[in-house]
Amino acid sequence: MAVSENINHINSVIPAHVKLIAVSKNQSIEKISEAYNAGHKIFGENKAQELISKHSLLPSDIEWHFIGHLQTNKVKYIVPLVKLIHSVESTKLLKEINKEAHKRNIVVNCLLQFHIATEESKYGLDYEEAVSLLNSHDYKQLNNIRICGVMGMATFTDNADIIRQEFKELKAIFDMLKERFYATDESFKEISMGMSDDYLLGIKEGSTMIRVGTAIFGKRV
Ligand SMILES: *Cc1c(COP(=O)(O)O)cnc(C)c1O
């Protein structure tokens, strides 16, 4: 199916409050333009260099999201270009984002990434690490970042029960952090969970943002 049909299909099955992030990593400018021309304006990339290059080649009203592992030395390039960084998982990274945002007199929206999958290789915090980050003196000094919620990736498996369990865990983490740190902060409201094969499951478990690549663009090249 064409990119535009895929987008229309997904938009027709997800609720209006869920934001669709079209994950365009490894996809060509032509394919991304196809999505853009079909009216889609929100794209996600997981590599700094690729985001920088696509940002320069594509229309300026695109809302870019950074969803991959972010190295501190790349933060300065990314900060001016993105609407939201989904993948914050350390105080060090948060401080670097804050520093670059401060220089530009902007506030950068971030999600805390949690490790919910069983695989070792996936990045992310656990609940206790997040609590100590949010309680730290360092964190309280950061005025140029805004934590808007949480992000996580489920285990790569066909077993829907495992994925559902991991999504429930992320939702529970969100709820606990909301109550403990952000009860009066309306910005803390996002749960970024669900990809091509499990976005409906993610939405059932409370997702507010889904990150969908191959179901829109086809296989990555
Ligand atoms: C690649 C990627 C996605 C999209 O994966 P698909 O299976 O192609 O939908 C979502 N989130 C992150 C963090 C990714 O790296």
Side-chain angles (χ1 to χ4, degrees):
M1 269 209 295
V3 166
S4 59
E5 290 173 52
N6 292 336
I7 288 182
N8 289 341
H9 168 72
I10 295 169
N11 279 327
S12 75
V13 296
I14 66 175
H17 72 274
V18 174
K19 195 171 217 181
L20 171 61
I21 293 138
V23 175
S24 49
K25 65 184 186 192
N26 289 37
Q27 303 290 355
S28 66
I29 296 294
E30 289 68 31
K31 279 206 166 166
I32 302 172
S33 299
E34 222 180 303
Y36 179 84
N37 292 331
H40 196 78
K41 301 274 159 74
I42 308 170
F43 295 91
E45 289 285 338
N46 72 336
K47 292 206 175 74
Q49 193 50 57
E50 200 172 329
L51 190 148
I52 294 161
S53 133
K54 285 173 176 169
H55 181 274
S56 71
L57 294 167
L58 286 157
S60 60
D61 64 340
I62 287 178
E63 179 180 314
W64 292 101
H65 289 227
F66 193 81
I67 62 170
H69 181 61
L70 183 55
Q71 292 168 283
T72 46
N73 63 350
K74 300 283 168 56
V75 167
K76 59 175 172 291
Y77 307 114
I78 290 303
V79 150
L81 309 184
V82 297
K83 177 77 187 288
L84 179 64
I85 299 173
H86 290 232
S87 41
V88 174
E89 48 169 4
S90 70
T91 311
K92 184 180 164 214
L93 183 56
L94 208 51
K95 282 167 81 172
E96 186 66 20
I97 295 168
N98 188 77
K99 187 180 101 190
E100 294 300 329
H102 182 75
K103 278 189 202 165
R104 292 165 179 82
N105 198 23
I106 57 174
V107 173
V108 174
N109 296 317
C110 299
L111 303 180
L112 295 177
Q113 182 174 354
F114 285 86
H115 182 275
I116 53 171
T118 50
E119 290 128 336
E120 279 297 323
S121 64
K122 301 236 165 107
Y123 295 102
L125 300 159
D126 62 28
Y127 178 68
E128 289 308 325
E129 287 168 339
V131 167
S132 68
L133 189 163
L134 298 175
N135 275 326
S136 69
H137 178 71
D138 274 349
Y139 172 70
K140 291 174 184 142
Q141 311 302 309
L142 306 179
N143 296 316
N144 293 78
I145 51 106
R146 181 184 297 116
I147 304 288
C148 300
V150 302
M151 180 270 225
M153 282 170 90
T155 300
F156 185 70
T157 171
D158 290 336
N159 186 333
D161 290 333
I162 293 176
I163 298 171
R164 187 178 299 111
Q165 198 45 52
E166 293 171 352
F167 284 167
K168 281 185 192 300
E169 187 185 326
L170 186 62
K171 173 67 162 68
I173 289 171
F174 171 87
D175 289 341
M176 290 188 288
L177 294 178
K178 178 80 189 167
E179 190 182 323
R180 197 156 164 182
F181 297 96
Y182 299 105
T184 60
D185 182 347
E186 283 172 20
S187 305
F188 190 86
K189 61 178 187 335
E190 306 294 355
I191 303 178
S192 171
M193 65 181 185
M195 315 194 336
S196 289
D197 293 330
D198 54 24
Y199 64 85
L200 290 175
L201 208 50
I203 292 167
K204 255 193 208 133
E205 299 306 330
S207 177
T208 66
M209 288 184 168
I210 55 174
R211 310 176 310 273
V212 179
T214 47
I216 292 174
F217 296 108
K219 267 184 128 161
R220 284 181 277 277
V221 286

